[in-house]
Amino acid sequence: MEPELAEAVRAARGGSFAWDLVSGAIHWDAFVCDLVGVSPDDFTGRADAFFAALHTSDAARLAAATAEVLERGGPYRNRYRIVHRDGTVRRIEERGEVLLGPDGRPARVIGLLLDRTADGPDPGCPAVATTALTATPVPVSAAGPDSAADSFLLTITRALSRAATVADVMAVLTDIARPALNAETLLVHLTPSGDVEDIGSTPLHAPAPERLHPLRPPAAAALRQAIAQEQPVFVEGISAPPPAEPLTRSWAVLPLAASDQRIGGCIFGYPGVRRFDERQRHTFTALGGIAAHALGRALLQDAEHTRAAELQRAMLPRRTPRIPGHTVAVRYRPGTAGMEVGGDWYEVLELDEDRVGLVIGDVQGHSARASGVMGQLRIALRAFAREGHDPSEAMARTGRLLADLDTGLFATCCYLSLEPATGRLLAARAGHPLPVLLDASGLPRELDLPGGPPLGIDAGAAYPLSEHRLAPGEGLLLYTDGLIEDRTEAYDESVARLLATLRQDGPKAPADTGWEGLADRLVRARPAPGRVQDDLALLLVRRD
């Protein structure tokens, strides 16, 4: 901090702090150390120094407030009391902001601690988290310990209700529950089979701090006991056996069981000796039940997604034929949200000695049914193309077939036949995104390709035939809308974003990491971090 700014903060009776939520490391300036009652030389950079000084009546409220702000991110304000070793009470106002990382998860907390002791008792709630710093505090009587515990559990339940996968559930427990409960570590072990004997044979949710390794045997024993008895186990101080360094930890060990299924267990770990009072034990017990139901649902969702993705991949080409004088790269990625796999496909068809076919398509919907219709269309289009029909006629016949099948689904598709020796392209398009042509320098433009309606909508639809030529050094990108679509923006804006990415990255492809590298970068650039709603397919071809 600049000296002038530091002086201004001190003039306001405040100090600055930063909290790394990933590593747990905390930085306090000298003023904050003084507020908390810790010598700067003795401060270890761990949160337990703060929570040890926190007034016991404010702990539950602060946990609830912390969970709330970690769930949503952004600015907040907290008020609470700190008790020094000599019994002196300091009234603190905390103003800060939760910063999100590139993955959208909470990464850091930065802010100020302001000494409000001289202002007298705060008529409002000692611990309040708000989206705006001007929000009216909640009266103390409305936010007692029991109410605060309920608020914490409500926040966790709300966050877990949006968690569709096991990874999502772990993110909630790691990003919200662990820091809100001031736990140093969170160890999780899943046993969907119900067998607890293998606990301890593999790492308990690695990575764990290296210094905790000597405590793995007693941790595994406590976890087996909690799961077998289906009751939490609270260890209020256990030390590593010699010759390990002096190491004492306290644990809240929770069984994870739902619908008569032993899912596993988790351990919230604390440094040193910690006493869990009755209210805290009730909170942990309730948290274990909430997390277990969320994990049970997520495990089922993950299994269904895996089966659907395997079905989809089984219907895609097992190999991509070589095109003489050309470089080809293909990608398929299923959606990651529940059953969000569907009917996206690509294909390179070996037609005859002079021609190959390039196909990209997308069946409406995200389900195993969409995958099944995709398989039918892929077989049909392949058959019509190998009969010698040009792209226009092959597309029309495939559209009539889909309409006759009466599946209630439609599909978009783009089919081009390519003469590798000359670069000649014949193309037809059925409601699909326009292919992108990259010139020899890698600069992109959409290919002018008139089209007809999606397949299956009109059995009598015609699809105009267009002719183009792929010059040496030029490339062609065929893709489905899952590569670019962002529901927060207009479709034209999504296309413009893709072209901007290609303008920035495309010229590097031939000389840098090649067409395969460009395909990977395009997939990584897709919008919506975290769970992706739509699957995607892309096909890149360059005439060398």
Side-chain angles (χ1 to χ4, degrees):
M1 184 181 295
E2 295 294 332
E4 294 84 357
L5 296 179
E7 287 294 334
V9 172
R10 282 194 291 271
R13 306 197 313 277
S16 61
F17 73 92
W19 182 11
D20 187 326
L21 295 171
V22 178
S23 67
I26 292 179
H27 171 77
W28 290 343
D29 67 11
F31 191 90
V32 172
C33 287
D34 180 65
L35 276 180
V36 178
V38 177
S39 167
D41 295 335
D42 296 334
F43 179 51
T44 61
R46 292 204 313 242
D48 55 294
F50 169 82
F51 285 94
L54 183 66
H55 196 291
T56 55
S57 298
D58 296 342
R61 282 188 289 264
L62 187 58
T66 302
E68 181 182 341
V69 73
L70 288 174
E71 182 195 17
R72 56 171 171 75
Y76 69 93
R77 180 180 63 186
N78 288 335
R79 292 188 178 183
Y80 45 81
R81 290 161 291 178
I82 291 293
V83 182
H84 287 193
R85 294 176 182 175
D86 61 2
T88 304
V89 176
R90 293 279 188 94
R91 298 184 180 275
I92 307 297
E93 179 180 349
E94 178 182 328
R95 297 192 177 203
E97 182 173 3
V98 175
L99 305 178
L100 305 181
D103 57 359
R105 295 170 61 178
R108 298 177 66 225
V109 182
I110 57 173
L112 300 174
L113 293 191
L114 304 173
D115 188 356
R116 298 303 190 207
T117 306
D119 298 343
D122 186 349
C125 176
V128 127
T130 62
T131 54
L133 299 182
T134 57
T136 303
V138 180
V140 175
S141 60
D146 292 337
S147 176
D150 291 343
S151 178
F152 166 77
L153 293 172
L154 179 62
T155 298
I156 296 298
T157 301
R158 184 172 58 236
L160 288 175
S161 70
R162 297 191 291 266
T165 67
V166 171
D168 294 339
V169 173
M170 284 304 308
V172 172
L173 295 177
T174 302
D175 298 346
I176 301 178
R178 182 190 59 79
L181 293 170
N182 182 32
E184 180 187 49
T185 55
L186 170 64
L187 308 178
V188 174
H189 192 96
L190 298 180
T191 58
S193 66
D195 184 9
V196 299
E197 295 305 319
D198 63 337
I199 292 179
S201 61
T202 57
L204 299 176
H205 188 56
E210 190 70 26
R211 64 183 182 278
L212 296 181
H213 287 190
L215 285 174
R216 285 199 185 280
L223 200 53
R224 283 194 293 268
Q225 178 184 343
I227 296 173
Q229 297 179 354
E230 297 187 5
Q231 292 290 333
V233 173
F234 296 94
V235 180
E236 298 181 328
I238 187 170
S239 298
E245 60 176 305
L247 180 67
T248 301
R249 288 293 183 271
S250 298
W251 299 326
V253 187
L254 309 179
L256 301 174
S259 301
D260 297 325
Q261 179 187 11
R262 290 178 174 177
I263 297 172
C266 67
I267 301 177
F268 287 88
Y270 296 86
V273 176
R274 179 187 178 96
R275 302 303 179 197
F276 299 96
D277 61 29
E278 184 177 357
R279 186 179 296 114
Q280 291 169 334
R281 293 183 179 220
H282 282 314
T283 299
F284 276 111
T285 301
L287 175 60
I290 295 168
H293 283 284
L295 276 170
R297 184 185 68 248
L299 286 167
L300 179 61
Q301 190 92 328
D302 281 356
E304 292 176 345
H305 179 268
T306 299
R307 286 194 293 269
E310 288 173 351
L311 170 64
Q312 172 78 359
R313 291 187 183 280
M315 294 184 177
L316 290 171
R318 298 186 63 178
R319 68 179 185 89
T320 301
R322 292 184 65 255
I323 303 178
H326 290 69
T327 300
V328 179
V330 297
R331 291 292 185 275
Y332 171 77
R333 295 291 185 272
T336 58
M339 285 290 291
E340 299 294 343
V341 295
D344 289 21
W345 89 96
Y346 63 83
E347 185 124 44
V348 177
L349 301 174
E350 297 172 300
L351 301 178
D352 53 42
E353 293 182 356
D354 301 323
R355 295 180 307 128
V356 295
L358 308 175
V359 182
I360 195 83
D362 183 0
V363 177
Q364 168 202 12
H366 310 110
S367 64
R369 183 162 169 255
S371 294
V373 172
M374 177 271 287
Q376 293 173 303
L377 291 186
R378 179 185 166 218
I379 293 171
L381 186 57
R382 173 191 287 262
F384 293 138
R386 287 183 169 172
E387 285 178 357
H389 299 292
D390 64 30
S392 173
E393 181 62 22
M395 198 76 79
R397 288 172 178 256
T398 305
R400 286 196 294 272
L401 174 65
L402 181 56
D404 291 343
L405 289 174
D406 195 23
T407 64
L409 300 178
F410 63 84
T412 66
C413 186
C414 185
Y415 169 39
L416 304 91
S417 68
L418 167 67
E419 294 179 0
T422 65
R424 180 172 180 250
L425 288 167
L426 293 178
R429 184 172 65 92
H432 200 80
L434 290 168
V436 176
L437 181 70
L438 292 90
D439 66 21
S441 66
L443 295 178
R445 63 178 174 85
E446 286 188 299
L447 201 62
D448 183 14
L449 187 60
L455 303 174
I457 289 182
D458 180 2
Y463 299 91
L465 185 67
S466 301
E467 182 172 348
H468 302 270
R469 190 168 299 275
L470 199 61
E474 289 187 334
L476 196 64
L477 167 63
L478 308 177
Y479 65 93
T480 60
D481 58 10
L483 180 68
I484 63 167
E485 193 170 29
D486 186 342
R487 297 176 184 179
T488 65
E489 65 184 9
Y491 183 75
D492 289 345
E493 294 175 351
S494 299
V495 173
R497 179 165 40 78
L498 171 66
L499 296 178
T501 300
L502 288 168
R503 276 192 294 272
Q504 177 183 5
D505 205 18
K508 297 187 299 184
D512 186 7
T513 57
W515 233 229
E516 294 289 339
L518 177 59
D520 288 335
R521 289 191 291 274
L522 289 173
V523 171
R524 287 196 298 268
R526 71 191 300 190
R531 290 191 296 135
V532 179
Q533 297 296 323
D534 202 359
D535 50 348
L536 73 84
L538 70 83
L539 171 59
L540 275 166
V541 178
R542 184 185 71 223
R543 188 178 179 194
D544 298 333

